[in-house]
Amino acid sequence: MKRIGILTAGGDTPALNATIHGAVERANQLNMEVFGFIKGYNSLYNERLPHVHLNPLFQEIPELDPAKGGTILGSSRDYVDPNDKAALDEIEGRLDSLGIEGLICIGGDGTLNGLQPLADRLPVVLAPKTIDNDLGLNYRSEPDDYIRRERHDKTGFDYRMKPSRTEFHLDHMINYVTPGYATAVLVSVQGIQRIRTTAESHRRIAIIEVMGRHSGYIALGSAYGQPDIVLVPESPLNLDLLVEQIKEIYDLQKNVVIVCGEGIVDESGNDLADELNSTDPSGNKLLTGASEALRQLLVERMGDDYFRSYRRGHSAQEAIFTRKVGHTQRGGRPVLFDRFYGAQLGAKATDILVERRSNVISTIQWNSERGFWVDSFSANGFRDRWGLIHARKMHPSFYDASRLRPSAVGRDYLKPIFANALGQDDLEHQRLTTFSPYNLMMPYHSINTDINKRIRYVS
Ligand code: F6P
């Protein structure tokens, strides 16, 4: 192959530039040109096919900094419709006219779905990314454990997992972790630690909402911040147990910190968050307000008298507060783990393309004997029998639903990822740059300004 394309799709993560960097560096070694497409799949639908040559003379452009969050190529949640043959023909023609012989898509489950129709036309490989850590399998046959039921109103199907016959073991997970997750957890942990001391001072109950959609990995990892209670979407809310535990902890220490995943569900399995009842272009539900909904439940259940009797404020409304860690989880400098494995996955994706394999994912594998390594896996292996790719949920064994905390297996899952996730340079970078007088003098210089100068079009 002489020339390949690369794009970043879906919600961004801090590790995208590192992944592009890995792909480009490997291409440099192989004397292959890499063209980056602007704003994910959106670019492919644009008849001018906006793109950037990422390695003129087989040297990476200086704007591509693996330690910088976001993506120099931009991203969007645009979706590739497998049934729109005319549009797919046009995309194929455009890529052909630019001499693109293979494509790397950096993305999550939505991107993987979009990649499928393109993969029949040229070699396409997915390099995984998502802060949610929901691209992967708990065990090889997990997609076979999905069952579906048609909705009463005949508008489609609902999918759920039947209890599995497969024994779970950490060593057998497919794509153990995705780049972006470790940085998102770091940000959540720091948020929790900061909220804790203010909750302690003011005798308050803090509910901290973290991202992750319906997968509880970020909430699980947030346990490093030592919250008192962790609520994950995989375990339906047990309000009686929760209130009992809150009171026990509050009686003892006069403050409680609760972390909740944004996708937590009630006992009937309904999202606690107000659902806007809308979806993004790849079909993902938009979630909002789980922590606020939980707060209202606690305010009603605990009542003002509880707090007044302790002389700790005038009302439950005052004592219980919520904070979302929000998009700070997705932004900023990636930690060492994400930079390193993002780059490895990018390089592996280039290698897979060179082998002319299509519809394949580069993966991060782990087992207790070898530690981490990169590998590949067929995208088809992620599909259920109806062809759908489901976001990976945290395995039930990771959570102790009676203690409302990660279980021993959950803690064992986290340890290899976070043992050396932070590099010394991560801390040194913060020390050197945060309060630089330069920041006070100079306006922010956006990478987009420089990349704009490099964008080329096919016509
Ligand atoms: O999938 C990544 C993610 O950050 C989720 O955790 C979150 O629910 C969603 O994206 C937020 O999407 P947006 O940035 O479009 O609001």
Side-chain angles (χ1 to χ4, degrees):
M1 279 187 188
K2 291 206 159 51
R3 185 179 291 168
I4 61 171
I6 191 164
L7 56 81
T8 48
D12 68 346
T13 85
L16 292 173
N17 287 327
T19 310
I20 302 171
H21 162 78
V24 171
E25 281 299 323
R26 185 77 185 109
N28 288 342
Q29 290 165 355
L30 299 167
N31 279 356
M32 259 168 41
E33 290 184 306
V34 187
F35 283 14
F37 295 114
I38 302 297
K39 276 181 64 189
Y41 289 132
N42 185 285
S43 151
L44 306 186
Y45 282 96
N46 183 336
E47 59 188 25
R48 301 181 70 206
L49 197 55
H51 60 273
V52 173
H53 189 180
L54 293 171
N55 61 344
L57 305 175
F58 306 112
Q59 289 292 316
E60 186 172 276
I61 58 170
E63 290 85 356
L64 183 47
D65 175 359
K68 191 169 165 60
T71 161
I72 61 165
L73 297 176
S75 191
S76 68
R77 294 196 189 272
D78 288 296
Y79 171 69
V80 177
D81 181 356
N83 301 316
D84 190 349
K85 187 175 172 306
L88 287 165
D89 287 345
E90 279 174 20
I91 291 173
E92 188 181 357
R94 265 174 224 136
L95 292 174
D96 204 40
S97 70
L98 199 59
I100 299 295
E101 294 175 72
L103 183 64
I104 296 174
C105 300
I106 307 174
D109 55 333
T111 313
L112 188 56
N113 274 317
L115 168 154
Q116 181 79 16
L118 296 173
D120 295 335
R121 295 164 182 258
L122 79 166
V124 190
V125 172
L126 183 97
K129 68 85 220 181
T130 158
I131 61 162
D132 301 343
N133 197 25
D134 60 359
L135 183 74
L137 302 175
N138 285 309
Y139 47 92
R140 173 72 185 78
S141 60
E142 191 172 37
D144 303 337
D145 286 339
Y146 275 92
I147 47 179
R148 73 175 192 183
R149 214 180 31 208
E150 193 167 15
R151 293 191 196 118
H152 293 309
D153 56 7
K154 308 261 180 228
T155 54
F157 295 90
D158 287 321
Y159 294 80
R160 68 178 178 81
M161 291 253 278
K162 64 175 193 228
S164 178
R165 287 186 297 124
T166 309
E167 196 183 323
F168 175 78
H169 198 290
L170 289 174
D171 284 7
H172 303 150
M173 288 178 74
I174 308 284
N175 202 33
Y176 193 85
V177 60
T178 43
Y181 172 64
T183 307
V185 168
L186 170 74
V187 173
S188 305
V189 165
Q190 290 175 331
I192 293 161
Q193 289 168 337
R194 287 183 183 279
I195 295 281
R196 167 69 80 181
T197 52
T198 166
E200 267 176 334
S201 309
H202 292 273
R203 278 80 167 119
R204 297 179 84 186
I205 296 174
I207 307 172
I208 304 174
E209 182 179 315
V210 296
M211 284 186 169
R213 297 191 194 279
H214 292 105
S215 300
Y217 292 98
I218 299 182
L220 184 87
S222 300
Y224 278 108
Q226 294 184 293
D228 301 296
I229 291 171
V230 177
L231 301 175
V232 295
E234 288 82 354
S235 179
L237 184 68
N238 177 342
L239 195 56
D240 292 338
L241 178 69
L242 177 63
V243 170
E244 189 192 307
Q245 293 208 3
I246 290 175
K247 284 185 173 171
E248 198 179 299
I249 297 164
Y250 195 77
D251 285 351
L252 177 74
Q253 62 187 35
K254 305 177 186 167
N255 71 95
V256 184
V257 172
I258 304 164
V259 167
C260 79
E262 62 181 358
I264 54 170
V265 298
D266 64 19
E267 275 157 337
S268 320
N270 299 318
D271 287 317
L272 211 65
D274 291 330
E275 295 270 358
L276 292 178
N277 215 9
S278 55
T279 55
D280 70 18
S282 14
N284 294 313
K285 269 183 173 184
L286 295 174
L287 292 164
T288 171
S291 50
E292 221 16 76
L294 181 61
R295 176 172 178 260
Q296 287 316 320
L297 289 175
L298 293 180
V299 164
E300 278 164 33
R301 186 60 86 88
M302 297 184 75
D304 296 343
D305 288 347
Y306 176 78
F307 295 96
R308 281 197 200 119
S309 68
Y310 276 95
R311 303 174 66 80
R312 288 173 198 157
H314 301 295
S315 66
Q317 290 279 4
E318 195 184 303
I320 307 173
F321 72 111
T322 63
R323 285 296 174 270
K324 286 185 191 181
V325 185
H327 285 75
T328 54
Q329 285 157 107
R330 285 226 313 248
R333 192 174 194 272
V335 295
L336 176 65
F337 183 93
D338 286 342
R339 286 199 307 276
F340 183 79
Y341 285 105
Q344 296 279 316
L345 283 180
K348 182 71 181 176
T350 302
D351 283 339
I352 298 169
L353 269 192
V354 171
E355 290 163 12
R356 295 203 165 268
R357 291 160 67 204
S358 190
N359 215 353
V360 172
I361 303 170
S362 56
T363 60
I364 300 179
Q365 296 304 123
W366 178 87
N367 72 28
S368 39
E369 230 169 75
R370 260 179 94 173
F372 287 105
W373 75 97
V374 289
D375 208 337
S376 62
F377 195 76
S378 157
N380 208 24
F382 279 63
R383 294 181 181 279
D384 68 14
R385 68 192 87 168
W386 301 280
L388 282 185
I389 291 163
H390 301 273
R392 177 175 64 188
K393 300 256 180 139
M394 208 184 63
H395 193 266
S397 64
F398 285 16
Y399 186 68
D400 182 339
S402 58
R403 293 175 58 242
L404 303 179
R405 301 191 43 77
S407 65
V409 181
R411 295 195 299 271
D412 285 347
Y413 170 75
L414 295 170
K415 285 177 205 163
I417 304 171
F418 291 99
N420 294 304
L422 267 179
Q424 277 189 359
D425 62 311
D426 291 324
L427 306 172
E428 190 59 2
H429 179 266
Q430 190 178 8
R431 193 180 73 78
L432 291 176
T433 62
T434 307
F435 295 121
S436 161
Y438 179 92
N439 297 349
L440 293 174
M441 283 185 301
M442 293 296 165
Y444 181 73
H445 180 81
S446 173
I447 196 73
N448 294 350
T449 317
D450 297 327
I451 290 294
N452 276 343
K453 298 173 200 164
R454 292 187 179 271
I455 296 180
R456 301 285 176 267
Y457 303 91
V458 285
S459 53

